[in-house]
Amino acid sequence: MTFGYFDDENKEYVITRPDTPLPWINYLGCQDYFGIISNTAGGYSFYRDARLRRITRYRYNNVPFDLGGRYIYLRDDESGEFWSPSWQPTRHDLENYTCRHGMGYTLIGSRYNGIAAHTNYFVPLDENLEIWQLTITNQRSKRASLSVFSSIEFCLWDAQDDATNFQRNFSIGQVEVEDGVIYHKTEYRERRDHFAYFACSGKVEAFDTQRDAFVGPYRSWDKPVALERGRLANSVAHGWAPIGAHQVKAELAPGETRQIIFVLGYHENPRDQKFDPPDSQILNKRTVKPVIAKYLDFAHVDAAFQNLRRYWNGLLGILQVDTPDVHTNRMVNIWNAYQCMATFNMSRSASFYESGIGRGLGFRDSNQDLLGFVHMVPARARERILDLAATQLPTGGAYHQYQPLTKRGNNDVGGNFNDDPHWLILGVAAYLKETGDWGILDEPVPYDNHPGSEQPLYEHLERSFKYTLDRLGPHGLPLIGRADWNDCLNLNCFSDTPGQSFQTTTNKDGKVAESVFIAGLFVLAGRELADITQRRGLTEEAKDYLAQVAKMEDTIRQHGWDGEWFLRAYDDFGRKIGSKECLEGKIFIETQGFCVLTDIGLDDGLAVKSMESVSKYLATEHGIILQQPAYSRYYLELGEISSYPPGYKENAGIFCHNNPWVMIAETRVGNGDRAHDYYSRINPSAREPISDLHRCEPYVYAQMIAGRDAPTYGEAKNSWLTGTAAWNYYAITQWILGIRTSYDGLQISPVIPKSWRGFNATRIFRGVTYHITIERAGEGNHVALKVDGVPIKGDTVPPPGDGRKEVSVKGALT
Ligand code: BGC
Ligand code: NOJ
């Protein structure tokens, strides 16, 4: 069953009924000002940091889940009836309801009683504000006398404090209203130099800024007393709950259309110019007024929207593919790339599953996210890399997270996740291959943000590598620390205290538990580092790295292989995890995927065996399960992984983040059919027909699909902010379609299904546009390339030496 359809031409998903199984959301904003918006206009906005600069209030875990948002009401002033064109919060039976989630905008509209109303919500580029562009048409045969009401609830800035510290907060709310513009200035009188505003292009008949005046006692947003009354009360909030609501009259002749624009924004004043006059307590509005005026102008808003569309077309245009599979095309060309940008902007902070008050930017996560967006925003990727590296500790270890506003490592969470540092090497390598910007390696970057500790970025990479060498366990495998990629494999934790954090409590100092996964990661990162080192002319050092890598590979073969698959780890007692000897958790996905994508076991048959075991024991119709059999009870020595009921999350859920590791691994053993089959099983677009089972948005990946041990097998959870986005994008584009960035040029090495006749692609790489056509001439994966008609050796197209900006590449697969 479906709840809408893809409109690929407009790069939109069109939802055709409002009661989707879960809120199906979109993100507004690309730079500093962001919003989350659901298909019923639920959600909230913030400036840069979802916790510390929350602009509008939002109550998580509400019923319905997405109650509270950017609500517009229409009221028929003759009958007194009122409704919301976005369905929520009044939930009238609307005709023609549609929600179009597009690239950086959401357009929600419907018709009710002959009145059609659509609102386009978007954040213009380079501005700290959002637009609600409302268009109303009277499709009745007689005049309509309507009132239009806007409404939002302001957050008192720190979302955590706002949701808890009522004894203070009910007394601090302050607003000003001038010329129909509502200014929210709580705490501006003291240490803040920022405020929010809510403006309207129509003639404001009346307003409300005190929630109780608008909603009324013992009511909610579905039946505000002000709507029943038909007139706002011009209330001015003093304490309690400041809101913004406007009332505008719209008298419409039959067939007449009216546009009204609402602008909700964030603004900062210089510290010494906060007030006007300076000795007063009145907001200085001099610099904000021109911004407001600009965006209350219809022509300007239309232009801003066109700019936004151009921006997204530009980003997505960097790679466009045309394959025989519509789901591949749609995800690569539109939605997967778009989701990669959302994970870049949000990391794991703000979604309907991440509250925006918890997690900062993860070191491991942010580095992996680079794989998915570095080609779209290389300059911002550079900045992100330098920020991440600056939080690295002198030991080479890393804070697990840093806070986006301060860019400092998060002390509450700390470090000792022993996989973390290696992801920096992989992130930097991806950046270098995309851009060729070798200069970044010489950028001075501090450790732990400590002034004076600056060393070239390259040295950070060396320390990342060395971190593991300094922390090897009894088998010569890397010690796991608090956890590796699998945050829930907590082998040193031994937690028996309810509510204690598995990840931040270390009861043992951890000199025994080892991770085969980190060993595989070390091999991959070590090879990348050796390559970079060699290219810096440091041949001896590069050799040394490769020797360490070779040694680790031997250790993996010796102590990390279980006979049919790679082991997962050794616990604190030195016992195997992920072995046929175990009662539960006999085989894990992580080491199969990661070791094989790293080419471990390619030459001696281990890789093929490992892939066969994945297919036999872990692969299901809904994707590849993390481990089998699921842990049926809590194991003190394993930690959070066994805390989840079987089939969910890391306990035998289908973790969509590491499925692509197996896809890439399958391309390494040459199995394009399987690689693409695994890709399709979790491709959200391919799962659209089972939306009633899948339940999350069909246009973006979710972190997890419930595994076959779960009662809700096939149901997705935690959509949007997940490493799944980058890894699937990387797997399909660089390994299955095989359009791969490399230091020496654009490598083209597809491993596609046998049944495909070929595919076309356009890739802009280092300023050159490559028009790629791949044709199948046989069943294998050997590619013969012609560049502008001339055959070349190997599979890497070197940059054109003669300044050509367009290159045609034809490939024959045999
Ligand atoms: C989740 C993991 C996540 C971790 C982050 C755990 O509860 O299961 O997926 O990585 O929290 O702290
Ligand atoms: C989600 C976390 O954000 C990520 O860092 C981790 O690798 C996975 N969960 C697996 O636990």
Side-chain angles (χ1 to χ4, degrees):
M1 179 185 173
T2 55
F3 295 81
Y5 59 92
F6 285 92
D7 176 348
D8 292 338
E9 201 162 317
N10 285 306
K11 303 189 175 71
E12 292 172 340
Y13 191 80
V14 188
I15 301 167
T16 48
R17 49 183 287 184
D19 54 342
T20 47
L22 291 163
W24 285 4
I25 71 160
N26 194 13
Y27 286 91
L28 309 177
C30 326
Q31 191 97 34
D32 290 324
Y33 186 104
F34 292 105
I36 294 182
I37 184 162
S38 76
N39 52 305
T40 68
Y44 61 89
S45 299
F46 61 93
Y47 174 74
R48 291 183 62 188
D49 187 312
R51 171 171 169 184
L52 297 176
R53 294 285 157 87
R54 188 73 69 92
I55 294 166
T56 58
R57 180 173 286 161
Y58 189 74
R59 291 171 190 79
Y60 279 95
N61 223 344
N62 221 324
V63 187
F65 204 23
D66 65 341
L67 179 62
R70 303 169 180 85
Y71 294 142
I72 287 175
Y73 301 83
L74 298 183
R75 183 175 187 277
D76 189 326
D77 284 336
E78 272 160 28
S79 66
E81 196 187 11
F82 61 89
W83 70 98
S84 336
S86 58
W87 193 56
Q88 278 268 67
T90 65
R91 291 188 300 282
H92 280 72
D93 282 333
L94 303 171
E95 301 155 39
N96 284 350
Y97 159 92
T98 53
C99 166
R100 289 181 170 265
H101 283 317
M103 304 290 104
Y105 67 91
T106 286
L107 179 64
I108 309 179
S110 57
R111 195 177 57 210
Y112 186 73
N113 261 345
I115 304 296
H118 292 87
T119 313
N120 190 14
Y121 298 93
F122 71 98
V123 175
L125 295 175
D126 303 318
E127 297 286 5
N128 296 323
L129 56 88
E130 65 188 65
I131 306 282
W132 312 358
Q133 188 178 19
L134 169 71
T135 309
I136 322 170
T137 305
N138 177 10
Q139 297 179 346
R140 298 175 182 168
S141 52
K142 56 182 183 75
R143 274 190 92 69
S145 303
L146 306 173
S147 277
V148 179
F149 297 85
S150 65
S151 69
I152 45 108
E153 196 173 353
F154 290 111
C155 181
L156 307 185
W157 302 114
D158 178 337
Q160 167 87 30
D161 187 76
D162 181 72
T164 47
N165 194 5
F166 307 115
Q167 60 79 25
R168 169 180 161 87
N169 293 343
F170 285 166
S171 293
I172 63 172
Q174 287 193 305
V175 297
E176 280 179 35
V177 183
E178 192 181 308
D179 301 333
V181 183
I182 295 163
Y183 296 89
H184 173 231
K185 59 166 194 177
T186 299
E187 289 188 343
Y188 188 80
R189 59 190 302 285
E190 30 124 352
R191 290 156 297 176
R192 294 190 186 275
D193 48 15
H194 44 266
F195 59 89
Y197 57 88
F198 193 31
C200 168
S201 69
K203 178 174 170 278
V204 177
E205 292 287 322
F207 60 86
D208 265 320
T209 67
Q210 185 59 276
R211 191 183 66 214
D212 275 357
F214 181 78
V215 176
Y218 279 93
R219 286 167 180 260
S220 185
W221 299 94
D222 57 342
K223 272 194 189 157
V225 69
L227 269 290
E228 275 183 14
R229 205 191 295 125
R231 192 166 171 80
L232 299 188
N234 291 338
S235 61
V236 176
H238 302 283
W240 296 113
I243 64 160
H246 305 97
Q247 178 175 9
V248 175
K249 295 259 184 209
E251 287 282 332
L252 298 181
E256 191 183 342
T257 292
R258 172 85 50 89
Q259 210 184 101
I260 301 173
I261 292 167
F262 298 95
V263 180
L264 173 65
Y266 167 95
H267 197 77
E268 287 175 2
N269 272 337
R271 275 268 141 106
D272 56 350
Q273 293 166 36
K274 281 173 59 167
F275 301 106
D276 183 22
D279 58 355
S280 75
Q281 288 289 298
I282 301 168
L283 264 182
N284 174 0
K285 307 181 186 78
R286 265 172 296 166
T287 53
V288 77
K289 278 187 175 169
V291 182
I292 297 176
K294 186 163 145 192
Y295 286 98
L296 292 181
D297 169 353
F298 299 149
H300 201 93
V301 166
D302 288 338
F305 185 63
Q306 290 317 321
N307 274 341
L308 182 68
R309 297 211 87 166
R310 262 195 299 278
Y311 167 82
W312 277 106
N313 286 341
L315 290 189
L316 301 181
I318 294 168
L319 174 63
Q320 288 287 299
V321 303
D322 177 13
T323 79
D325 177 41
V326 61
H327 306 296
T328 300
N329 299 345
R330 178 180 284 155
M331 291 308 290
V332 170
N333 295 343
I334 308 168
W335 290 101
N336 195 178
Y338 183 64
Q339 185 180 2
C340 287
M341 286 301 294
T343 58
F344 162 58
N345 286 322
M346 300 288 132
S347 190
R348 307 293 174 268
S349 76
S351 73
F352 270 79
Y353 308 92
E354 301 285 0
S355 65
I357 57 183
R359 304 218 247 165
L361 270 80
F363 193 87
R364 173 203 294 143
D365 292 336
S366 300
N367 275 302
Q368 290 173 74
D369 290 348
L370 278 162
L371 295 174
F373 68 78
V374 62
H375 63 297
M376 291 186 276
V377 284
R380 295 174 73 192
R382 187 181 211 274
E383 189 188 336
R384 174 66 55 86
I385 287 172
L386 296 176
D387 286 348
L388 282 163
T391 68
Q392 192 178 22
L393 297 161
T395 57
Y399 283 105
H400 200 45
Q401 294 175 0
Y402 78 87
Q403 297 309 124
L405 265 188
T406 61
K407 296 189 175 179
R408 293 289 187 277
N410 185 337
N411 261 319
D412 301 339
V413 183
N416 295 333
F417 293 76
N418 283 350
D419 64 315
D420 269 335
H422 293 293
W423 300 110
L424 180 66
I425 301 179
L426 298 188
V428 170
Y431 172 78
L432 288 174
K433 288 178 191 170
E434 179 67 41
T435 61
D437 169 22
W438 289 88
I440 193 174
L441 293 174
D442 298 313
E443 285 284 342
V445 182
Y447 289 96
D448 197 4
N449 288 104
H450 208 76
S453 66
E454 290 81 1
Q455 292 292 333
L457 175 66
Y458 173 72
E459 199 206 276
H460 285 251
L461 306 188
E462 291 184 294
R463 288 201 197 181
S464 291
F465 184 75
K466 198 162 167 292
Y467 178 84
T468 289
L469 291 177
D470 293 343
R471 286 166 185 75
L472 297 177
H475 297 93
L477 290 163
L479 292 172
I480 195 166
R482 286 188 162 148
D484 60 22
W485 171 87
N486 190 331
D487 271 328
C488 301
L489 196 58
N490 314 120
L491 305 181
N492 293 306
C493 181
F494 291 84
S495 176
D496 56 9
T497 308
Q500 192 171 55
S501 161
F502 285 102
Q503 280 120 38
T504 57
T505 315
T506 308
N507 295 350
K508 298 244 177 186
D509 63 357
K511 294 281 188 287
V512 177
E514 298 168 296
S515 162
V516 180
F517 172 79
I518 301 181
L521 177 62
F522 174 89
V523 171
L524 182 64
R527 286 213 203 105
E528 293 287 5
L529 179 60
D531 200 356
I532 291 170
T533 303
Q534 177 70 48
R535 285 163 194 271
R536 276 173 80 83
L538 304 167
T539 308
E540 284 311 305
E541 284 88 338
K543 266 196 205 144
D544 190 43
Y545 292 141
L546 287 179
Q548 301 287 0
V549 162
K551 194 165 159 211
M552 187 64 80
E553 277 198 68
D554 283 347
T555 310
I556 294 176
R557 279 175 226 270
Q558 215 186 324
H559 299 293
W561 178 254
D562 195 52
E564 266 187 274
W565 56 77
F566 290 99
L567 281 175
R568 178 63 178 82
Y570 288 91
D571 71 10
D572 186 54
F573 307 102
R575 295 178 310 208
K576 291 173 184 168
I577 295 179
S579 158
K580 54 180 178 296
E581 294 166 23
C582 305
L583 283 178
E584 301 187 320
K586 287 175 191 283
I587 172 171
F588 280 68
I589 190 174
E590 295 101 309
T591 38
Q592 316 319 317
F594 222 86
C595 289
V596 178
L597 79 81
T598 301
D599 289 355
I600 298 170
L602 267 195
D603 46 358
D604 56 7
L606 302 192
V608 168
K609 264 194 201 153
S610 156
M611 289 299 100
E612 286 312 311
S613 297
V614 169
S615 158
K616 200 158 145 197
Y617 302 112
L618 298 177
T620 76
E621 59 183 311
H622 294 295
I624 309 168
I625 293 185
L626 196 142
Q627 103 279 20
Q628 283 286 278
Y631 293 117
S632 60
R633 63 179 181 85
Y634 177 57
Y635 293 90
L636 192 66
E637 68 277 20
L638 299 181
E640 186 169 3
I641 189 167
S642 59
S643 76
Y644 287 111
Y648 293 112
K649 293 278 290 183
E650 280 87 343
N651 187 13
I654 294 160
F655 230 80
C656 300
H657 181 152
N658 49 28
N659 275 232
W661 300 347
V662 176
M663 297 166 203
I664 301 172
E666 286 289 3
T667 68
R668 300 310 294 159
V669 300
N671 199 335
D673 280 328
R674 247 204 214 146
H676 193 265
D677 180 20
Y678 288 151
Y679 171 76
S680 302
R681 294 187 202 192
I682 62 167
N683 181 320
S685 160
R687 294 173 65 77
E688 189 202 19
I690 51 164
S691 288
D692 43 339
L693 172 66
H694 184 82
R695 299 186 78 223
C696 279
E697 295 92 332
Y699 42 91
V700 290
Y701 285 96
Q703 181 198 53
M704 195 238 355
I705 297 172
R708 67 175 161 223
D709 300 285
T712 58
Y713 178 37
E715 178 193 60
K717 252 177 225 162
N718 304 354
S719 54
W720 282 96
L721 303 185
T722 156
T724 307
W727 274 103
N728 275 280
Y729 188 80
Y730 182 63
I732 185 70
T733 59
Q734 301 219 19
W735 298 91
I736 299 177
L737 301 178
I739 306 171
R740 191 139 78 233
T741 56
S742 87
Y743 298 118
D744 303 322
L746 192 62
Q747 194 178 355
I748 297 176
S749 178
V751 185
I752 55 176
K754 288 201 190 70
S755 61
W756 282 19
R757 58 189 184 277
F759 68 89
N760 300 322
T762 310
R763 173 67 151 96
I764 304 175
F765 176 62
R766 302 196 196 165
V768 178
T769 304
Y770 293 85
H771 302 281
I772 304 163
T773 307
I774 301 293
E775 272 172 18
R776 259 220 182 283
E779 293 216 319
N781 304 311
H782 178 264
V783 71
L785 298 179
K786 278 189 188 164
V787 178
D788 286 330
V790 183
I792 62 161
K793 267 204 195 133
D795 59 8
T796 302
V797 184
D802 54 5
R804 263 173 306 151
K805 292 284 169 221
E806 307 261 331
V807 172
S808 130
V809 183
K810 292 213 177 343
L813 277 183
T814 49

